[in-house]
Amino acid sequence: MNLEELNKIANKMVAKGKGILAADESTSTIKKRFDAIGVPNTEDNRRDYREMLFRTTATMKDHISGVILFDETIRQKAKDGTPLVKLIEDAGSVPGIKVDAGAKPLAGSPGETVTEGLDGLRERFAEYHKLGARFAKWRAVIDIGKDIPSYNCINANAQALARYAALAQEAGIVPIVEPEVLMDGDHDIARCEQVTTWVLKEVFQQLFYARVPLEGIVLKPNMIVPGKKCPKQNSVDEVARATVMVVKDCVPGAVPGIAFLSGGQSDEEATAHLSAMNALGGLPWPLTFSYGRALQAAPQKAWSGKAENLAAGQKAFAHRALMNSLASIGKWTKADEKKAA
Ligand code: 13P
């Protein structure tokens, strides 16, 4: 393993003013997004949509440090035959790949899941590296509810994340380590804080056991927010302070950077929270975004599968990327939302 090279890639992924575009929806997840805008889930439509994003050249160059791809996309070519990976590289952005096989029911722990995909992963990493991937993503999912999460669920997911991370680094690929505590329940912010702390402590313990040097990873956690169904929703400042407190408590300074997921927050919430955290200052690592929905909901709606809406789709993507770029340096304000990208 060349740790210096891994560290260089990781630092590039969290470079100042930039963040990651999570465009790695599986075929079934992108179907949900396309259903919402009335677009048939065909291979060509998936290609056209993602090509639209990757050809938003100035935005890609200025604000997108890396793109997480799905297996189909990393092999796909643009309409003119250019590999989509090349569009990303030409914009100076790093191509990445989602390698997990999804969260599956965890035996012995009703209502909980463990993320699968370790079998054959060494060979898959070798192929993905040849296809251009220089970083990867594995998402573990922890749900909060009555009597959950269990230690069994947290431990199984943290171990899988650590084994994945070690294999990625062995292949010269930077692992994005993503333990996501869901915001689906009615729990309050204190419960999210407690569970996320437990999960992050366990993840870093397992990374240590698996001998994963932290200089060669990027952490992708959830923010500390109340469940969507919780009657008490907290202010932007409360979320920012709680999140910074938890990551400071749990994430060693050797980690090159933290790129948050949006997890079902609205576009503007995800941006406001990130900006407020960075405005607090005094952080040992860059905090940026690795958003899926919070970067893509607007361009999906503007595009709606119509070739004549391509420019509108790109404009919407450019705008969200600019807003999040400002947030990553703590300089976003509500007034910026009114500005065109
Ligand atoms: P969201 O920002 O939509 O949560 O997606 C990020 C991601 O990559 C989840 O694995």
Side-chain angles (χ1 to χ4, degrees):
M1 180 212 309
N2 183 342
L3 186 54
E4 208 175 307
E5 184 57 27
L6 289 171
N7 183 249
K8 238 167 66 189
I9 299 165
N11 283 325
K12 193 169 172 194
M13 289 161 67
V14 295
K16 191 164 180 203
K18 293 187 178 189
I20 297 166
L21 166 64
D24 60 321
E25 300 84 1
S26 63
T27 306
S28 57
T29 300
I30 198 75
K31 179 176 187 310
K32 285 188 222 158
R33 311 283 182 258
F34 279 7
D35 282 351
I37 51 171
V39 174
N41 188 24
T42 62
E43 197 173 328
D44 279 358
N45 283 339
R46 293 193 291 273
R47 190 262 330 267
D48 289 349
Y49 168 64
R50 287 167 173 148
E51 182 176 348
M52 170 183 86
L53 299 179
F54 308 158
R55 282 198 194 274
T56 312
T57 312
T59 293
M60 291 288 294
K61 282 199 163 109
D62 296 342
H63 308 311
I64 303 296
S65 59
V67 182
I68 318 176
L69 302 168
F70 183 59
D71 183 79
E72 174 185 274
T73 323
I74 200 170
R75 304 168 193 280
Q76 225 166 14
K77 291 192 168 68
K79 230 182 201 145
D80 68 359
T82 313
L84 291 180
V85 165
K86 185 154 191 308
L87 296 184
I88 296 167
E89 288 168 346
D90 286 352
S93 186
V94 187
I97 182 76
K98 183 232 297 289
V99 299
D100 68 65
K104 305 287 158 64
L106 176 60
S109 290
E112 298 191 286
T113 61
V114 63
T115 299
E116 296 190 348
L118 288 168
D119 288 356
L121 188 52
R122 176 175 278 125
E123 292 72 24
R124 289 170 60 219
F125 269 137
E127 190 198 3
Y128 285 139
H129 192 275
K130 278 198 198 120
L131 289 168
R134 292 298 175 267
F135 74 93
K137 175 189 117 170
W138 178 290
R139 172 175 173 259
V141 183
I142 312 292
D143 204 357
I144 297 181
K146 190 180 164 335
D147 300 327
I148 61 169
S150 65
Y151 180 64
N152 184 37
C153 170
I154 294 176
N155 178 252
N157 276 294
Q159 276 204 27
L161 271 170
R163 286 184 59 195
Y164 139 80
L167 282 164
Q169 290 187 336
E170 184 187 272
I173 290 178
V174 170
I176 289 187
V177 173
E178 181 180 0
E180 176 174 5
V181 176
L182 296 177
M183 55 180 286
D184 291 342
D186 61 1
H187 54 275
D188 63 8
I189 194 169
R191 180 98 170 103
C192 176
E193 182 182 313
Q194 177 197 39
V195 171
T196 304
T197 300
W198 186 15
V199 168
L200 289 177
K201 297 262 182 207
E202 189 65 32
V203 165
F204 281 100
Q205 190 66 27
Q206 294 296 335
L207 288 170
F208 172 69
Y209 291 144
R211 302 178 181 171
V212 173
L214 300 182
E215 294 82 357
I217 75 163
V218 168
L219 181 73
K220 175 163 172 170
N222 52 283
M223 295 181 199
I224 306 301
V225 291
K228 270 192 206 148
K229 288 181 251 156
C230 178
K232 179 170 167 39
Q233 293 295 315
N234 297 80
S235 68
V236 169
D237 186 59
E238 285 167 337
V239 168
R241 284 180 192 280
T243 306
V244 164
M245 195 181 74
V246 168
V247 286
K248 272 189 169 171
D249 183 32
C250 300
V251 185
V255 171
I258 299 178
F260 288 95
L261 58 92
S262 61
Q265 299 177 45
S266 74
D267 296 358
E268 202 174 309
E269 277 166 357
T271 303
H273 290 151
L274 179 64
S275 194
M277 284 190 268
N278 279 305
L280 289 173
L283 303 162
W285 354 247
L287 299 186
T288 189
F289 57 92
S290 175
Y291 293 164
R293 284 161 285 181
L295 270 174
Q296 296 187 71
Q300 277 161 6
K301 205 163 152 216
W303 170 64
S304 288
K306 299 197 175 74
E308 66 267 27
N309 291 341
L310 223 78
Q314 290 186 322
K315 197 169 160 208
F317 174 49
H319 181 67
R320 277 304 356 125
L322 173 64
M323 294 302 102
N324 287 307
S325 167
L326 290 169
S328 74
I329 52 170
K331 297 245 182 288
W332 172 88
T333 62
K334 220 175 161 60
D336 291 318
E337 287 293 332
K338 310 250 168 340
K339 281 189 214 154

